[in-house]
Amino acid sequence: MIARVWKGWTKTEDADEYEKLPRFKTLLPEYRDSKVLAGVGALVVKDDVGRYAEKAGLFVLTQTSDGGAALLNRKGFRPKEFS
């Protein structure tokens, strides 16, 4: 299960919102045995915001010119598992 937020732009505070994810499994018990990963996505992701989110263990996504999505995390990135 991947939880993500998609916005027109992001701020570092958006990454901090994911600390609330442990409530996810309480609210949706059918996912209690699932791994929960998270990500932020925006049309524009500033470098400092992307690195902040990455350090928090979040996937960082942005829109591509053809309407798809691109993962901005650096090689070796390890996502945080929220339990």
Side-chain angles (χ1 to χ4, degrees):
M1 164 61 69
I2 297 178
R4 89 174 151 72
V5 172
W6 190 269
K7 298 183 174 198
W9 62 90
T10 56
K11 319 179 281 238
T12 54
E13 293 83 14
D14 295 330
D16 295 334
E17 289 294 312
Y18 286 93
E19 291 307 316
K20 298 176 184 175
L21 271 177
R23 294 187 336 203
F24 179 84
K25 290 183 179 182
T26 302
L27 296 171
L28 298 166
E30 61 269 27
Y31 293 105
R32 73 177 157 266
D33 296 326
S34 300
K35 291 182 180 182
V36 178
L37 308 176
V40 294
L43 299 174
V44 177
V45 178
K46 293 183 179 178
D47 286 341
D48 62 325
V49 175
R51 296 303 147 233
Y52 183 86
E54 186 177 67
K55 285 182 183 178
L58 304 174
F59 289 101
V60 181
L61 299 108
T62 193
Q63 185 174 354
T64 62
S65 60
D66 63 356
L71 189 61
L72 299 178
N73 297 87
R74 292 179 280 195
K75 188 176 182 176
F77 166 73
R78 299 223 183 240
K80 177 179 178 179
E81 184 178 327
F82 293 85
S83 54

